């Protein structure tokens, strides 16, 4: 009650798409990792370029997509996650 009377706003949660990617190269080759995606056309089976961990970029294949997930509902902090950069042709 006090919060609303002080003119503050409730903490808003962002919703994001998360993709599980099997790494095809880089230091994590063969592993599956989660990435954030802002590509609405992304689908399972797409080859993607992702931000690297200790390297610039790597490639992987999307094996799962969870769409429109609240950032506080996902077990990995959104701020710490790497992103999918682009879909490869």
């Amino acid at each position: 009650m006090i919060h609303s009377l002080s003119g503050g706003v409730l903490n808003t949660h962002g919703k994001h798409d998360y993709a599980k990617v099997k790494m095809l190269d880089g230091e994590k080759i063969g592993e599956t990792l989660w990435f954030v995606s802002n590509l609405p056309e992304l689908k399972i089976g797409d080859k993607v370029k992702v931000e690297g961990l200790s390297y610039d970029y790597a490639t992987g294949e999307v094996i799962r997509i969870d769409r429109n997930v609240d950032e506080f509902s996902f077990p990995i902090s959104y701020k710490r996650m790497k992103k999918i950069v682009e879909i490869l042709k």
Side-chain angles (χ1 to χ4, degrees):
M1 185 81 164
I2 293 172
H3 180 75
S4 63
L5 293 175
S6 68
V9 294
L10 295 175
N11 188 11
T12 56
H13 301 198
K15 294 194 181 239
H16 309 282
D17 292 347
Y18 296 91
K20 192 173 194 178
V21 176
K22 182 173 182 178
M23 302 305 296
L24 301 175
D25 63 14
E27 67 185 52
K28 298 289 186 175
I29 189 168
E31 293 186 34
T32 55
L33 303 171
W34 285 97
F35 293 88
V36 175
S37 170
N38 63 353
L39 306 169
E41 66 277 10
L42 185 69
K43 60 189 179 305
I44 293 173
D46 282 347
K47 303 283 191 273
V48 292
K49 179 178 176 181
V50 298
E51 292 179 340
L53 302 173
S54 63
Y55 44 86
D56 289 334
Y57 295 101
T59 58
E61 180 179 352
V62 177
I63 59 173
R64 177 179 168 177
I65 303 171
D66 291 353
R67 298 202 185 271
N68 205 24
V69 177
D70 186 292
E71 66 186 50
F72 291 115
S73 297
F74 201 74
I76 304 168
S77 169
Y78 170 76
K79 293 178 181 178
R80 293 181 181 210
M81 291 190 68
K82 301 291 185 177
K83 295 175 179 49
I84 293 177
V85 177
E86 67 180 309
I87 300 171
L88 300 173
K89 303 285 178 186

Coordinates of all heavy atoms in Angstrom, one line a residue:
M1 N 0.8 -1.2 0.0 CA 0.0 0.0 0.0 C 0.9 1.3 0.0 O 0.6 2.2 -0.8 CB -0.9 0.0 1.2 CG -1.9 1.1 1.2 SD -3.3 0.7 0.1 CE -4.4 1.8 0.7
I2 N 1.9 1.3 0.8 CA 2.7 2.5 0.9 C 3.4 2.7 -0.5 O 3.5 3.8 -0.9 CB 3.8 2.3 2.0 CG1 3.1 2.3 3.4 CG2 4.8 3.4 1.9 CD1 4.0 2.0 4.5
H3 N 3.8 1.6 -1.1 CA 4.5 1.7 -2.4 C 3.6 2.5 -3.4 O 4.1 3.4 -4.1 CB 4.8 0.4 -2.9 CG 5.5 0.4 -4.3 ND1 6.8 0.8 -4.4 CD2 5.1 0.2 -5.5 CE1 7.2 0.7 -5.6 NE2 6.2 0.4 -6.4
S4 N 2.4 2.1 -3.5 CA 1.5 2.8 -4.5 C 1.2 4.2 -4.1 O 1.0 5.1 -5.0 CB 0.2 2.0 -4.7 OG -0.5 2.0 -3.5
L5 N 1.2 4.5 -2.9 CA 0.9 5.9 -2.4 C 2.1 6.8 -2.7 O 2.0 8.0 -2.8 CB 0.6 5.9 -0.9 CG -0.8 5.3 -0.6 CD1 -0.9 5.3 0.9 CD2 -1.9 6.0 -1.2
S6 N 3.3 6.2 -2.8 CA 4.5 7.1 -3.0 C 4.8 7.4 -4.4 O 5.7 8.1 -4.7 CB 5.7 6.3 -2.4 OG 6.0 5.2 -3.2
G7 N 3.9 6.9 -5.3 CA 4.1 7.2 -6.7 C 5.0 6.3 -7.4 O 5.4 6.5 -8.6
G8 N 5.5 5.3 -6.8 CA 6.5 4.4 -7.4 C 5.8 3.4 -8.4 O 4.5 3.4 -8.5
V9 N 6.5 2.7 -9.1 CA 6.0 1.7 -10.0 C 6.4 0.3 -9.6 O 7.5 0.2 -9.1 CB 6.3 2.0 -11.5 CG1 5.7 3.3 -12.0 CG2 7.9 2.0 -11.7
L10 N 5.6 -0.7 -9.9 CA 6.0 -2.0 -9.6 C 7.1 -2.5 -10.6 O 7.2 -2.0 -11.7 CB 4.8 -3.0 -9.8 CG 3.7 -2.7 -8.8 CD1 2.5 -3.6 -9.1 CD2 4.1 -3.0 -7.4
N11 N 8.0 -3.3 -10.1 CA 9.0 -3.9 -10.9 C 8.4 -4.6 -12.1 O 7.6 -5.5 -11.9 CB 9.9 -4.8 -10.1 CG 11.2 -5.2 -10.9 OD1 11.5 -4.7 -11.9 ND2 11.9 -6.2 -10.3
T12 N 8.8 -4.2 -13.3 CA 8.2 -4.9 -14.5 C 9.2 -6.0 -14.9 O 10.4 -5.8 -14.9 CB 8.0 -3.9 -15.6 OG1 9.2 -3.2 -15.9 CG2 7.0 -2.8 -15.3
H13 N 8.6 -7.1 -15.4 CA 9.4 -8.2 -15.8 C 9.3 -8.2 -17.3 O 8.3 -8.1 -17.9 CB 8.8 -9.5 -15.3 CG 8.7 -9.6 -13.8 ND1 8.6 -10.7 -13.1 CD2 8.8 -8.6 -12.9 CE1 8.5 -10.5 -11.8 NE2 8.7 -9.2 -11.7
G14 N 10.5 -8.4 -18.0 CA 10.5 -8.6 -19.4 C 10.2 -10.0 -19.8 O 10.4 -11.0 -19.0
K15 N 9.7 -10.2 -21.0 CA 9.4 -11.6 -21.5 C 10.3 -11.8 -22.7 O 10.4 -10.9 -23.5 CB 7.9 -11.7 -21.9 CG 7.1 -11.6 -20.6 CD 5.7 -12.1 -20.9 CE 4.9 -12.0 -19.6 NZ 4.3 -13.2 -19.2
H16 N 10.9 -12.9 -22.8 CA 11.9 -13.2 -23.8 C 11.7 -14.6 -24.4 O 11.1 -15.5 -23.7 CB 13.3 -13.1 -23.3 CG 13.5 -11.8 -22.5 ND1 13.8 -10.6 -23.1 CD2 13.6 -11.5 -21.2 CE1 13.9 -9.6 -22.2 NE2 13.8 -10.2 -21.0
D17 N 12.3 -14.8 -25.6 CA 12.4 -16.1 -26.1 C 13.7 -16.7 -25.8 O 14.8 -16.1 -25.9 CB 12.2 -16.1 -27.7 CG 10.8 -15.7 -28.1 OD1 9.9 -15.7 -27.3 OD2 10.7 -15.4 -29.3
Y18 N 13.7 -18.0 -25.3 CA 15.0 -18.7 -25.0 C 15.1 -19.9 -25.9 O 14.1 -20.6 -26.1 CB 14.9 -19.1 -23.5 CG 14.9 -18.0 -22.5 CD1 13.6 -17.5 -22.1 CD2 16.0 -17.4 -22.0 CE1 13.6 -16.4 -21.2 CE2 16.0 -16.4 -21.1 CZ 14.7 -15.9 -20.7 OH 14.7 -14.8 -19.8
A19 N 16.3 -20.1 -26.4 CA 16.6 -21.2 -27.3 C 17.7 -22.1 -26.7 O 18.7 -21.6 -26.3 CB 16.9 -20.7 -28.7
K20 N 17.5 -23.4 -26.8 CA 18.5 -24.4 -26.4 C 19.2 -24.7 -27.7 O 18.6 -25.1 -28.7 CB 17.8 -25.6 -25.8 CG 18.8 -26.5 -25.1 CD 18.0 -27.6 -24.4 CE 18.9 -28.4 -23.4 NZ 18.2 -29.4 -22.7
V21 N 20.5 -24.6 -27.6 CA 21.4 -24.7 -28.8 C 22.5 -25.7 -28.6 O 23.2 -25.7 -27.6 CB 22.0 -23.3 -29.2 CG1 23.0 -23.5 -30.4 CG2 20.9 -22.3 -29.5
K22 N 22.6 -26.7 -29.6 CA 23.7 -27.7 -29.5 C 24.8 -27.0 -30.3 O 24.7 -26.6 -31.4 CB 23.3 -29.0 -30.2 CG 24.4 -30.0 -30.1 CD 24.0 -31.3 -30.7 CE 25.1 -32.3 -30.5 NZ 24.8 -33.6 -31.0
M23 N 25.9 -26.9 -29.6 CA 27.1 -26.2 -30.1 C 27.8 -27.0 -31.2 O 28.1 -28.2 -30.9 CB 28.1 -25.8 -29.0 CG 27.5 -24.9 -27.9 SD 26.7 -23.4 -28.5 CE 28.1 -22.6 -29.2
L24 N 28.1 -26.4 -32.3 CA 28.7 -27.1 -33.4 C 30.2 -26.8 -33.6 O 31.0 -27.5 -34.2 CB 28.0 -26.7 -34.8 CG 26.5 -27.1 -34.8 CD1 25.9 -26.6 -36.1 CD2 26.4 -28.6 -34.7
D25 N 30.7 -25.7 -32.9 CA 32.1 -25.4 -32.9 C 32.4 -24.5 -31.6 O 31.5 -24.3 -30.8 CB 32.5 -24.6 -34.1 CG 31.9 -23.3 -34.4 OD1 31.3 -22.8 -33.4 OD2 31.9 -22.8 -35.5
G26 N 33.6 -24.1 -31.5 CA 34.0 -23.4 -30.3 C 34.4 -24.3 -29.2 O 34.5 -25.5 -29.3
E27 N 34.7 -23.7 -28.0 CA 35.2 -24.5 -26.9 C 34.2 -25.4 -26.3 O 34.5 -26.3 -25.5 CB 35.9 -23.6 -25.8 CG 34.9 -22.7 -25.2 CD 35.5 -21.7 -24.2 OE1 36.5 -21.0 -24.6 OE2 35.1 -21.7 -23.0
K28 N 32.9 -25.1 -26.5 CA 31.8 -25.9 -26.0 C 31.2 -26.9 -27.0 O 30.0 -27.3 -26.9 CB 30.7 -25.0 -25.4 CG 31.2 -24.1 -24.3 CD 31.4 -24.9 -23.0 CE 31.8 -23.9 -21.9 NZ 31.9 -24.6 -20.6
I29 N 31.9 -27.3 -28.0 CA 31.4 -28.1 -29.1 C 30.8 -29.4 -28.5 O 31.3 -30.0 -27.6 CB 32.5 -28.5 -30.1 CG1 32.0 -29.2 -31.3 CG2 33.6 -29.3 -29.4 CD1 32.9 -29.3 -32.5
G30 N 29.6 -29.7 -29.0 CA 28.9 -30.9 -28.6 C 28.0 -30.6 -27.4 O 27.1 -31.4 -27.1
E31 N 28.2 -29.5 -26.6 CA 27.3 -29.3 -25.5 C 26.1 -28.5 -25.9 O 26.0 -27.9 -27.0 CB 28.1 -28.4 -24.5 CG 29.3 -29.1 -23.8 CD 29.9 -28.3 -22.8 OE1 29.2 -27.5 -22.1 OE2 31.2 -28.4 -22.6
T32 N 25.1 -28.6 -25.0 CA 23.8 -27.8 -25.3 C 23.8 -26.7 -24.3 O 23.9 -26.9 -23.0 CB 22.6 -28.7 -25.2 OG1 22.5 -29.3 -23.9 CG2 22.5 -29.7 -26.3
L33 N 23.5 -25.5 -24.8 CA 23.5 -24.3 -23.9 C 22.2 -23.5 -24.3 O 21.7 -23.5 -25.4 CB 24.7 -23.4 -24.2 CG 26.1 -24.1 -24.0 CD1 27.2 -23.2 -24.5 CD2 26.3 -24.4 -22.5
W34 N 21.8 -22.7 -23.3 CA 20.6 -21.8 -23.5 C 21.1 -20.4 -23.9 O 22.1 -19.9 -23.4 CB 19.8 -21.7 -22.2 CG 19.0 -22.9 -21.9 CD1 19.3 -23.9 -21.1 CD2 17.7 -23.2 -22.5 NE1 18.3 -24.8 -21.1 CE2 17.3 -24.4 -21.9 CE3 16.9 -22.6 -23.4 CZ2 16.1 -25.0 -22.2 CZ3 15.7 -23.2 -23.7 CH2 15.3 -24.4 -23.1
F35 N 20.4 -19.8 -24.9 CA 20.6 -18.4 -25.3 C 19.3 -17.7 -25.4 O 18.3 -18.2 -25.6 CB 21.3 -18.5 -26.7 CG 22.7 -19.0 -26.7 CD1 22.9 -20.4 -26.9 CD2 23.8 -18.2 -26.6 CE1 24.1 -21.0 -26.9 CE2 25.1 -18.8 -26.6 CZ 25.2 -20.1 -26.7
V36 N 19.4 -16.3 -25.3 CA 18.3 -15.5 -25.5 C 18.2 -15.2 -27.0 O 19.2 -15.0 -27.7 CB 18.4 -14.2 -24.7 CG1 17.3 -13.2 -25.0 CG2 18.5 -14.4 -23.2
S37 N 16.9 -15.1 -27.5 CA 16.7 -14.8 -28.9 C 15.7 -13.7 -29.1 O 14.7 -13.6 -28.4 CB 16.2 -16.1 -29.6 OG 15.8 -15.7 -30.9
N38 N 16.0 -12.7 -29.9 CA 15.1 -11.7 -30.3 C 14.7 -11.9 -31.8 O 14.3 -10.9 -32.4 CB 15.6 -10.3 -30.0 CG 16.9 -10.0 -30.9 OD1 17.4 -10.9 -31.6 ND2 17.4 -8.8 -30.8
L39 N 14.8 -13.1 -32.3 CA 14.5 -13.4 -33.7 C 13.1 -14.1 -33.7 O 13.1 -15.3 -33.5 CB 15.6 -14.2 -34.3 CG 17.0 -13.6 -34.2 CD1 18.0 -14.6 -34.6 CD2 17.1 -12.4 -35.1
P40 N 12.0 -13.5 -34.0 CA 10.7 -14.2 -34.0 C 10.6 -15.3 -35.1 O 9.8 -16.2 -34.9 CB 9.7 -13.0 -34.3 CG 10.5 -11.9 -34.9 CD 11.9 -12.1 -34.4
E41 N 11.4 -15.2 -36.1 CA 11.4 -16.3 -37.2 C 12.2 -17.5 -36.8 O 12.2 -18.5 -37.6 CB 11.8 -15.7 -38.5 CG 13.3 -15.3 -38.6 CD 13.6 -13.9 -38.0 OE1 12.8 -13.2 -37.4 OE2 14.8 -13.4 -38.2
L42 N 12.9 -17.5 -35.7 CA 13.7 -18.6 -35.3 C 12.9 -19.9 -35.1 O 11.8 -19.9 -34.5 CB 14.4 -18.3 -34.0 CG 15.4 -19.3 -33.5 CD1 16.7 -19.3 -34.4 CD2 15.8 -19.0 -32.0
K43 N 13.4 -21.0 -35.6 CA 12.7 -22.3 -35.5 C 13.7 -23.4 -35.2 O 14.9 -23.3 -35.4 CB 11.8 -22.6 -36.7 CG 12.6 -22.7 -38.0 CD 11.7 -22.8 -39.2 CE 12.4 -23.0 -40.5 NZ 13.3 -21.9 -40.8
I44 N 13.1 -24.5 -34.7 CA 13.9 -25.7 -34.3 C 14.6 -26.2 -35.6 O 14.0 -26.3 -36.7 CB 13.1 -26.8 -33.7 CG1 12.6 -26.3 -32.3 CG2 13.9 -28.1 -33.6 CD1 11.6 -27.2 -31.6
G45 N 15.9 -26.5 -35.5 CA 16.7 -27.0 -36.7 C 17.5 -25.9 -37.3 O 18.4 -26.2 -38.1
D46 N 17.2 -24.6 -37.0 CA 18.0 -23.5 -37.6 C 19.4 -23.6 -37.1 O 19.7 -23.9 -35.9 CB 17.4 -22.2 -37.2 CG 16.2 -21.8 -38.0 OD1 15.9 -22.5 -39.1 OD2 15.5 -20.8 -37.7
K47 N 20.4 -23.3 -38.0 CA 21.8 -23.1 -37.6 C 21.9 -21.6 -37.3 O 21.4 -20.7 -38.0 CB 22.7 -23.4 -38.8 CG 22.5 -24.9 -39.3 CD 23.2 -25.9 -38.4 CE 23.3 -27.2 -39.1 NZ 22.1 -28.1 -38.9
V48 N 22.5 -21.3 -36.2 CA 22.6 -19.9 -35.7 C 24.0 -19.5 -35.3 O 24.9 -20.4 -35.0 CB 21.7 -19.7 -34.5 CG1 20.2 -19.8 -34.9 CG2 22.0 -20.7 -33.4
K49 N 24.3 -18.2 -35.4 CA 25.5 -17.7 -34.9 C 25.2 -17.1 -33.5 O 24.2 -16.4 -33.3 CB 26.0 -16.5 -35.8 CG 27.2 -15.8 -35.4 CD 27.5 -14.8 -36.5 CE 28.7 -13.9 -36.1 NZ 29.0 -12.9 -37.1
V50 N 26.0 -17.5 -32.5 CA 25.7 -17.1 -31.1 C 26.9 -16.3 -30.5 O 28.1 -16.5 -31.0 CB 25.4 -18.3 -30.2 CG1 24.1 -18.9 -30.7 CG2 26.5 -19.3 -30.1
E51 N 26.7 -15.5 -29.5 CA 27.8 -14.9 -28.8 C 28.6 -15.9 -28.1 O 28.0 -16.9 -27.6 CB 27.2 -13.9 -27.8 CG 26.6 -12.7 -28.3 CD 26.0 -11.8 -27.2 OE1 25.9 -12.2 -26.1 OE2 25.8 -10.6 -27.6
G52 N 29.9 -15.8 -28.2 CA 30.8 -16.8 -27.6 C 31.0 -16.6 -26.1 O 30.5 -15.6 -25.5
L53 N 31.6 -17.6 -25.4 CA 31.8 -17.5 -24.0 C 33.2 -16.8 -23.8 O 33.2 -15.6 -23.4 CB 31.8 -18.9 -23.4 CG 30.5 -19.6 -23.6 CD1 30.6 -21.0 -23.1 CD2 29.3 -18.9 -22.9
S54 N 34.2 -17.4 -24.2 CA 35.5 -16.7 -24.1 C 36.1 -16.5 -25.5 O 37.3 -16.2 -25.7 CB 36.5 -17.6 -23.3 OG 36.7 -18.8 -23.9
Y55 N 35.3 -16.6 -26.5 CA 35.6 -16.4 -27.9 C 34.6 -15.4 -28.5 O 33.6 -15.1 -27.9 CB 35.7 -17.7 -28.6 CG 34.6 -18.6 -28.4 CD1 33.4 -18.5 -29.0 CD2 34.7 -19.6 -27.3 CE1 32.3 -19.3 -28.7 CE2 33.6 -20.4 -27.0 CZ 32.4 -20.3 -27.7 OH 31.4 -21.1 -27.5
D56 N 34.8 -14.9 -29.7 CA 33.9 -14.0 -30.3 C 32.6 -14.5 -30.6 O 31.6 -14.1 -30.0 CB 34.5 -13.4 -31.6 CG 35.7 -12.5 -31.3 OD1 35.8 -11.9 -30.2 OD2 36.6 -12.3 -32.2
Y57 N 32.5 -15.5 -31.5 CA 31.2 -16.0 -31.9 C 31.4 -17.5 -32.2 O 32.5 -18.0 -32.4 CB 30.7 -15.4 -33.2 CG 30.3 -13.9 -33.0 CD1 31.2 -12.9 -33.4 CD2 29.2 -13.6 -32.4 CE1 30.9 -11.6 -33.2 CE2 28.8 -12.2 -32.1 CZ 29.7 -11.3 -32.6 OH 29.4 -9.9 -32.4
A58 N 30.3 -18.3 -32.1 CA 30.3 -19.7 -32.4 C 29.0 -20.0 -33.2 O 28.1 -19.2 -33.3 CB 30.4 -20.5 -31.1
T59 N 28.9 -21.2 -33.7 CA 27.7 -21.6 -34.4 C 27.1 -22.8 -33.6 O 27.8 -23.6 -32.9 CB 28.0 -22.0 -35.8 OG1 28.9 -23.1 -35.9 CG2 28.5 -20.9 -36.6
G60 N 25.8 -23.0 -33.8 CA 25.1 -24.1 -33.2 C 23.8 -24.3 -33.9 O 23.4 -23.6 -34.8
E61 N 23.1 -25.4 -33.5 CA 21.8 -25.8 -34.0 C 20.7 -25.7 -32.9 O 20.9 -26.3 -31.9 CB 21.9 -27.2 -34.6 CG 20.6 -27.6 -35.2 CD 20.6 -29.0 -35.8 OE1 21.8 -29.6 -35.9 OE2 19.6 -29.5 -36.2
V62 N 19.6 -25.0 -33.2 CA 18.5 -24.9 -32.3 C 17.8 -26.2 -32.1 O 17.4 -26.8 -33.1 CB 17.6 -23.8 -32.7 CG1 16.4 -23.7 -31.8 CG2 18.3 -22.4 -32.9
I63 N 17.7 -26.6 -30.9 CA 17.0 -27.9 -30.6 C 15.7 -27.7 -29.8 O 14.9 -28.6 -29.7 CB 17.9 -28.9 -29.9 CG1 18.5 -28.4 -28.6 CG2 19.0 -29.3 -30.9 CD1 19.3 -29.5 -27.8
R64 N 15.5 -26.5 -29.2 CA 14.3 -26.2 -28.4 C 14.2 -24.7 -28.3 O 15.1 -24.0 -28.2 CB 14.4 -26.9 -27.1 CG 13.3 -26.6 -26.1 CD 13.4 -27.2 -24.8 NE 12.4 -26.7 -23.9 CZ 12.3 -27.1 -22.6 NH1 13.1 -28.1 -22.2 NH2 11.4 -26.6 -21.8
I65 N 12.9 -24.3 -28.3 CA 12.6 -22.8 -28.1 C 11.5 -22.7 -27.1 O 10.4 -23.3 -27.3 CB 12.2 -22.2 -29.5 CG1 13.3 -22.4 -30.5 CG2 11.9 -20.7 -29.2 CD1 12.8 -21.9 -31.9
D66 N 11.7 -21.9 -26.1 CA 10.7 -21.5 -25.2 C 10.3 -20.0 -25.4 O 11.2 -19.2 -25.2 CB 11.1 -21.7 -23.7 CG 11.3 -23.2 -23.4 OD1 11.0 -24.0 -24.2 OD2 11.8 -23.5 -22.3
R67 N 9.1 -19.8 -25.9 CA 8.8 -18.4 -26.2 C 8.0 -17.7 -25.1 O 7.3 -18.3 -24.4 CB 7.9 -18.5 -27.5 CG 8.7 -19.1 -28.7 CD 8.1 -18.6 -30.0 NE 8.7 -19.3 -31.1 CZ 9.8 -18.8 -31.8 NH1 10.3 -17.7 -31.4 NH2 10.3 -19.5 -32.8
N68 N 8.3 -16.4 -25.1 CA 7.5 -15.4 -24.2 C 7.6 -15.9 -22.8 O 6.6 -15.9 -22.1 CB 6.1 -15.3 -24.7 CG 5.4 -14.0 -24.3 OD1 6.1 -13.1 -24.1 ND2 4.1 -14.0 -24.2
V69 N 8.8 -16.1 -22.3 CA 9.0 -16.6 -20.9 C 9.4 -15.4 -20.1 O 10.3 -14.6 -20.4 CB 10.1 -17.6 -20.8 CG1 10.3 -18.1 -19.4 CG2 9.7 -18.8 -21.7
D70 N 8.7 -15.2 -18.9 CA 9.1 -14.1 -18.0 C 10.5 -14.3 -17.5 O 10.9 -15.4 -17.2 CB 8.1 -14.2 -16.8 CG 8.3 -13.0 -15.9 OD1 9.4 -13.0 -15.2 OD2 7.4 -12.2 -15.8
E71 N 11.3 -13.3 -17.6 CA 12.7 -13.4 -17.2 C 13.0 -13.9 -15.8 O 14.0 -14.4 -15.5 CB 13.5 -12.1 -17.5 CG 13.1 -10.9 -16.7 CD 13.8 -9.6 -17.1 OE1 13.7 -9.3 -18.3 OE2 14.4 -9.0 -16.2
F72 N 12.1 -13.6 -14.9 CA 12.2 -14.1 -13.5 C 11.8 -15.6 -13.4 O 12.0 -16.1 -12.3 CB 11.6 -13.2 -12.5 CG 12.2 -11.8 -12.5 CD1 11.6 -10.7 -12.9 CD2 13.5 -11.7 -12.0 CE1 12.2 -9.4 -12.8 CE2 14.2 -10.5 -12.0 CZ 13.5 -9.4 -12.4
S73 N 11.1 -16.1 -14.4 CA 10.7 -17.5 -14.3 C 11.7 -18.5 -14.9 O 11.7 -19.7 -14.7 CB 9.4 -17.7 -15.1 OG 8.4 -16.9 -14.5
F74 N 12.7 -17.9 -15.6 CA 13.7 -18.8 -16.2 C 14.9 -19.0 -15.2 O 15.2 -18.0 -14.5 CB 14.3 -18.1 -17.5 CG 14.9 -19.1 -18.4 CD1 14.2 -19.9 -19.2 CD2 16.3 -19.1 -18.5 CE1 14.8 -20.8 -20.0 CE2 16.9 -20.0 -19.4 CZ 16.2 -20.9 -20.1
P75 N 15.4 -20.2 -15.1 CA 16.4 -20.5 -14.0 C 17.8 -19.8 -14.2 O 18.5 -19.7 -13.3 CB 16.6 -22.0 -14.1 CG 16.1 -22.4 -15.5 CD 15.1 -21.4 -15.9
I76 N 18.0 -19.2 -15.4 CA 19.3 -18.5 -15.6 C 19.0 -17.0 -15.7 O 18.1 -16.6 -16.4 CB 20.0 -19.0 -16.9 CG1 20.2 -20.5 -16.9 CG2 21.3 -18.3 -17.1 CD1 20.6 -21.1 -18.2
S77 N 19.8 -16.2 -15.1 CA 19.6 -14.7 -15.1 C 19.7 -14.2 -16.5 O 20.6 -14.4 -17.2 CB 20.6 -14.0 -14.2 OG 20.6 -12.6 -14.4
Y78 N 18.6 -13.4 -16.9 CA 18.6 -12.8 -18.3 C 19.8 -12.0 -18.5 O 20.4 -12.0 -19.6 CB 17.3 -12.0 -18.4 CG 17.3 -11.2 -19.7 CD1 17.1 -11.8 -20.9 CD2 17.6 -9.8 -19.6 CE1 17.1 -11.0 -22.1 CE2 17.6 -9.1 -20.8 CZ 17.3 -9.7 -22.0 OH 17.3 -8.9 -23.1
K79 N 20.3 -11.2 -17.5 CA 21.4 -10.3 -17.7 C 22.7 -11.0 -17.9 O 23.6 -10.5 -18.5 CB 21.6 -9.4 -16.4 CG 20.4 -8.5 -16.2 CD 20.6 -7.7 -15.0 CE 19.4 -6.8 -14.8 NZ 19.4 -6.0 -13.6
R80 N 22.8 -12.3 -17.6 CA 24.1 -13.0 -17.7 C 24.1 -13.9 -19.0 O 25.1 -14.5 -19.3 CB 24.3 -13.9 -16.5 CG 24.6 -13.1 -15.3 CD 24.9 -14.0 -14.1 NE 25.1 -13.2 -13.0 CZ 25.9 -13.5 -12.0 NH1 26.5 -14.7 -12.0 NH2 26.0 -12.7 -11.0
M81 N 22.9 -14.0 -19.6 CA 22.8 -14.9 -20.8 C 23.4 -14.3 -22.1 O 23.3 -13.1 -22.3 CB 21.4 -15.3 -21.0 CG 20.9 -16.2 -19.9 SD 19.3 -16.9 -20.3 CE 19.7 -18.0 -21.7
K82 N 24.0 -15.2 -22.9 CA 24.5 -14.8 -24.2 C 23.3 -14.8 -25.2 O 22.3 -15.4 -24.9 CB 25.6 -15.7 -24.7 CG 26.8 -15.7 -23.8 CD 27.5 -14.4 -23.8 CE 28.8 -14.6 -22.9 NZ 29.6 -13.4 -22.9
K83 N 23.5 -14.1 -26.3 CA 22.4 -14.0 -27.3 C 22.7 -14.7 -28.6 O 23.8 -14.9 -29.0 CB 22.1 -12.5 -27.5 CG 21.6 -11.8 -26.2 CD 21.5 -10.4 -26.4 CE 21.0 -9.6 -25.2 NZ 21.6 -9.9 -24.0
I84 N 21.6 -15.0 -29.3 CA 21.7 -15.5 -30.6 C 21.8 -14.3 -31.5 O 21.0 -13.4 -31.4 CB 20.4 -16.3 -31.0 CG1 20.4 -17.6 -30.2 CG2 20.4 -16.6 -32.5 CD1 19.3 -18.5 -30.5
V85 N 22.8 -14.2 -32.3 CA 23.1 -13.0 -33.2 C 22.3 -13.1 -34.5 O 21.7 -12.1 -34.9 CB 24.6 -12.9 -33.4 CG1 24.9 -11.8 -34.3 CG2 25.4 -12.9 -32.1
E86 N 22.4 -14.2 -35.2 CA 21.7 -14.3 -36.4 C 21.4 -15.8 -36.8 O 22.1 -16.7 -36.3 CB 22.5 -13.6 -37.5 CG 23.8 -14.3 -37.9 CD 24.5 -13.6 -39.0 OE1 24.0 -13.3 -40.1 OE2 25.7 -13.4 -38.8
I87 N 20.5 -16.0 -37.7 CA 20.2 -17.3 -38.3 C 21.1 -17.4 -39.6 O 21.2 -16.5 -40.4 CB 18.7 -17.4 -38.7 CG1 17.8 -17.2 -37.5 CG2 18.5 -18.7 -39.4 CD1 16.4 -17.1 -37.8
L88 N 21.8 -18.5 -39.6 CA 22.7 -18.7 -40.8 C 22.0 -19.4 -41.9 O 21.1 -20.2 -41.7 CB 23.9 -19.6 -40.4 CG 24.8 -19.0 -39.2 CD1 25.8 -20.1 -38.8 CD2 25.4 -17.7 -39.6
K89 N 22.4 -19.1 -43.1 CA 21.7 -19.6 -44.3 C 22.4 -20.9 -44.7 O 23.5 -21.1 -44.6 CB 21.8 -18.7 -45.5 CG 21.2 -17.3 -45.2 CD 19.7 -17.4 -45.2 CE 19.1 -16.1 -44.9 NZ 17.7 -16.1 -44.7

